[in-house]
Amino acid sequence: NRYHIKAGLIFAIGVAALVTVLPRIIRLDFDDLSRVGTNFVYLSGTFLFYWLTHHFFILHLRSGVLSSRYMKAAISILCGVVIIGTMAWILKIASPFPLFSHQDGTPGRGQAIFVRVFRGLIVSTLTYFAVYYYRLLFLLQRSRLENERLKQENLHAQLTSLREQISPHFLFNSLNTLSTLSHEEPVKEYILKLSEVYRYVLQYQQQNIVPVREELAFVRSYIYILESRFEDGLKINIRLDPACLNRKILPFALQLLVENAVKHNSISYSSPLAIDIYDEEENLVVENDLRARATIHGGHSTGLNSLAKRYRLTTGKDILVVREPFKFKVQIPFLV
């Protein structure tokens, strides 16, 4: 967790044992063991409380003047002393362990308070630097592990990309060869559109943005394949202002929305599925009839969530999804 309570317990118990138990073992002084136990418990609780307090200020003082390294340390150390002192006063605890007790005679009240505050500052300061350097080591270790994980993921992605490139290139070349072997015009046209789809995938799979003109040409080939499958069961109407064709969107965004509409809605000759693609202000819009299939689970969420994350991570912009009783509309913003 963020406060590293397990490490704090080990630290608190270790320091408490070092202060209260170890000196008596060295001196072979085992008298008044109940006082030793009280000192040990109280000191363990004090150090653990300092540990949690310093973690709180290190984690939450992140803005303004108070976020500087030295100011944060000063505030955390002072607040730790004040809180511990207040708790001791409320509980009427009068320094039950040697670290805070005064051994040289009987001091006045002012002197006793000064001694306790001074020693409290020392303890709080030591604990703060222990917490600070523990967190530095923890963050450094986590950073190293994260870098190693990213290296492994990068190597895996490179290997996967190399594997994926072999199959599409082979299939693309095979489709071109197949189109020359066929003499039937509908077959040749279908193969041509399919090869155009694969050409676009190979060309833009590593790109972050693409002109609407290029995406639209790709989608027209994709639509031809869909219409060959569904024939009159699918009606797609494209109404884009020519000025929008030079704008930019994410690659495969428009195709994904068309695919989503076909995948998640029922299609029949008697009741064709209508899909409209048009521009609206600074957005490209895909709107379709809403006739959700009973066999599809999860609705449109998977593909749209993926597209929304891509837009958010790549551009910082969000897509807009509008679901009405009989219509489903998605707006994706132009990027340029």
Side-chain angles (χ1 to χ4, degrees), residues 16-276:
L18 185 67
V19 172
T20 59
V21 178
L22 186 60
R24 291 180 178 271
I25 294 177
I26 294 174
R27 297 194 309 265
L28 298 178
D29 179 10
F30 300 104
D31 297 333
D32 198 3
L33 294 180
S34 62
R35 180 177 177 81
V36 174
T38 303
N39 292 345
F40 175 78
V41 172
Y42 187 85
L43 191 57
S44 298
T46 299
F47 273 103
L48 180 60
F49 184 85
Y50 275 134
W51 179 276
L52 298 176
T53 300
H54 296 326
H55 265 86
F56 175 83
F57 284 102
I58 289 174
L59 291 171
H60 294 285
L61 286 181
R62 294 181 177 176
S63 61
V65 179
L66 301 182
S67 63
S68 68
R69 182 186 307 174
Y70 300 108
M71 185 63 69
K72 185 186 296 186
I75 293 174
S76 182
I77 292 169
L78 290 174
C79 285
V81 172
V82 170
I83 295 173
I84 283 289
T86 302
M87 291 178 60
W89 179 77
I90 293 174
L91 298 174
K92 304 300 181 183
I93 299 173
S95 304
F97 48 87
L99 186 65
F100 284 172
S101 62
H102 192 84
Q103 305 293 342
D104 303 323
T106 304
R109 181 177 180 83
Q111 184 181 357
I113 292 176
F114 173 79
V115 169
R116 291 169 186 170
V117 170
F118 178 74
R119 290 176 176 174
L121 284 171
I122 294 176
V123 172
S124 184
T125 301
L126 292 175
T127 309
Y128 178 86
F129 284 108
V131 171
Y132 181 80
Y133 283 107
Y134 175 84
R135 281 195 57 81
L136 281 182
L137 292 174
F138 172 79
L139 294 175
L140 179 61
Q141 181 66 18
R142 188 171 68 177
S143 177
R144 288 174 177 172
L145 292 174
E146 182 68 15
N147 288 337
E148 187 63 29
R149 184 183 67 82
L150 290 175
K151 289 180 182 178
Q152 294 295 330
E153 289 184 356
N154 186 43
L155 290 174
H156 178 73
Q158 291 178 5
L159 178 60
T160 302
S161 177
L162 181 61
R163 290 173 176 172
E164 289 178 348
Q165 285 179 8
I166 296 174
S167 177
H169 277 101
F170 176 77
L171 181 56
F172 176 70
N173 292 330
S174 299
L175 288 173
N176 286 334
T177 303
L178 184 60
S179 65
T180 62
L181 295 176
S182 176
H183 299 289
E184 296 183 19
E185 196 60 33
V187 175
K188 291 174 68 70
E189 183 68 15
Y190 186 88
I191 295 174
L192 177 62
K193 296 299 182 182
L194 191 57
S195 66
E196 289 176 355
V197 168
Y198 270 92
R199 182 189 295 113
Y200 184 88
V201 171
L202 293 174
Q203 183 176 357
Y204 287 104
Q205 63 180 344
Q206 302 297 332
Q207 302 297 320
N208 291 327
I209 59 175
V210 61
V212 173
R213 186 187 308 276
E214 299 293 331
E215 178 83 0
L216 187 59
F218 160 59
V219 168
R220 288 186 187 276
S221 298
Y222 180 73
I223 289 172
Y224 180 89
I225 296 173
L226 292 177
E227 290 177 338
S228 299
R229 174 186 173 188
F230 295 106
E231 298 181 347
D232 293 335
L234 191 62
K235 303 294 183 183
I236 300 179
N237 183 28
I238 300 176
R239 297 178 284 107
L240 287 177
D241 189 326
C244 297
L245 299 181
N246 294 323
R247 306 294 294 273
K248 303 291 181 64
I249 59 174
L250 290 186
F252 308 104
L254 181 56
Q255 179 270 333
L256 183 145
L257 296 179
V258 174
E259 179 186 16
N260 244 21
V262 172
K263 179 181 178 181
H264 295 285
N265 292 281
S266 59
I267 301 175
S268 64
Y269 297 125
S270 59
S271 181
L273 176 67
I275 302 176
D276 291 318

